[in-house]
Amino acid sequence: NKMIEKIISKIILLFAVIAAAAILLMVAATMWDITARSLFNRPLHGVIEFVELCFFTSVMAGLPLIFIDDAHIRVDVIDKFLTSKKLQILKKIGLILTSLFTSIVLIFSVKPIVDAYRFGDMKYELGVNLYFFYCLGWIALMICFVCTFFRFMKLNKSEDQ
């Protein structure tokens, strides 16, 4: 169990680096486009599509980091009114619903990913195939699902002790 968590942590670190690199590239491309447009009146070809792909990559690659750290945005309106046992139950329900939603997205995104591969969906200005980016997103969601499962198991383990 510890070995699996260590492997997942390394994969999530890799995804965090990918997300950070995508943000850096997105900012650099935007700055270069603005500079080229201002100084030389020559905007970069395909920069909008490039920024779209970088944005998608940064969001999808960053999701596992949020899931492993349990850093979701929460509203603690009712937490102070619940006993610790009821709060644990509420957290379990939230994790089950998160797992359910993530698994539905994973299942129903397979066909569009396969179709993107079969039909060669691409960003036309850049000539970049979208299949790779869809696979990256799918893998990131799978890691989120696994992180949710481990979070649920830890919650159960802490309750048993």
Side-chain angles (χ1 to χ4, degrees), residues 102-150:
T102 309
S103 62
I104 289 170
V105 172
L106 284 167
I107 291 166
F108 285 102
S109 63
V110 170
K111 184 176 179 341
I113 292 170
V114 171
D115 287 346
Y117 178 76
R118 283 182 45 218
F119 300 119
D121 289 356
M122 58 185 353
K123 288 288 188 184
Y124 293 103
E125 284 187 29
L126 294 176
V128 174
N129 195 320
L130 294 175
Y131 173 73
F132 169 77
F133 294 94
Y134 294 162
C135 287
L136 176 85
W138 194 88
I139 292 167
L141 283 175
M142 179 56 81
I143 294 168
C144 292
F145 180 80
V146 171
C147 290
T148 304
F149 175 76
F150 278 114

Side-chain angles (χ1 to χ4, degrees), residues 14 27 49 56 61 64-65 76 80 89 95 105 121 141 150:
L14 173 67
V27 170
E49 287 185 350
F56 176 80
L65 191 60
D76 302 358
K80 55 187 165 200
I89 292 169
L95 289 170
V105 172
D121 289 356
L141 283 175
F150 278 114

Side-chain angles (χ1 to χ4, degrees), residues 13-97:
L13 179 62
L14 173 67
F15 271 72
V17 169
I18 291 170
I23 291 170
L24 181 68
L25 289 170
M26 182 171 47
V27 170
T30 303
M31 287 176 55
W32 182 255
D33 183 48
I34 292 168
T35 304
R37 188 181 305 257
S38 298
L39 296 179
F40 311 113
N41 200 24
R42 298 197 70 128
L44 290 176
H45 178 72
V47 76
I48 293 174
E49 287 185 350
F50 182 76
V51 168
E52 287 173 357
L53 290 175
C54 287
F55 181 73
F56 176 80
T57 301
S58 67
V59 169
M60 294 311 290
L63 273 178
L65 191 60
I66 293 168
F67 272 72
I68 196 72
D69 287 343
D70 197 26
H72 305 86
I73 296 173
R74 291 193 186 90
V75 179
D76 302 358
V77 176
I78 63 169
D79 289 13
K80 55 187 165 200
F81 301 112
L82 296 176
T83 63
S84 115
K85 187 169 183 154
K86 288 182 181 176
L87 190 58
Q88 293 289 82
I89 292 169
L90 191 62
K91 286 181 181 181
K92 284 182 183 179
I93 291 169
L95 289 170
I96 290 168
L97 291 174

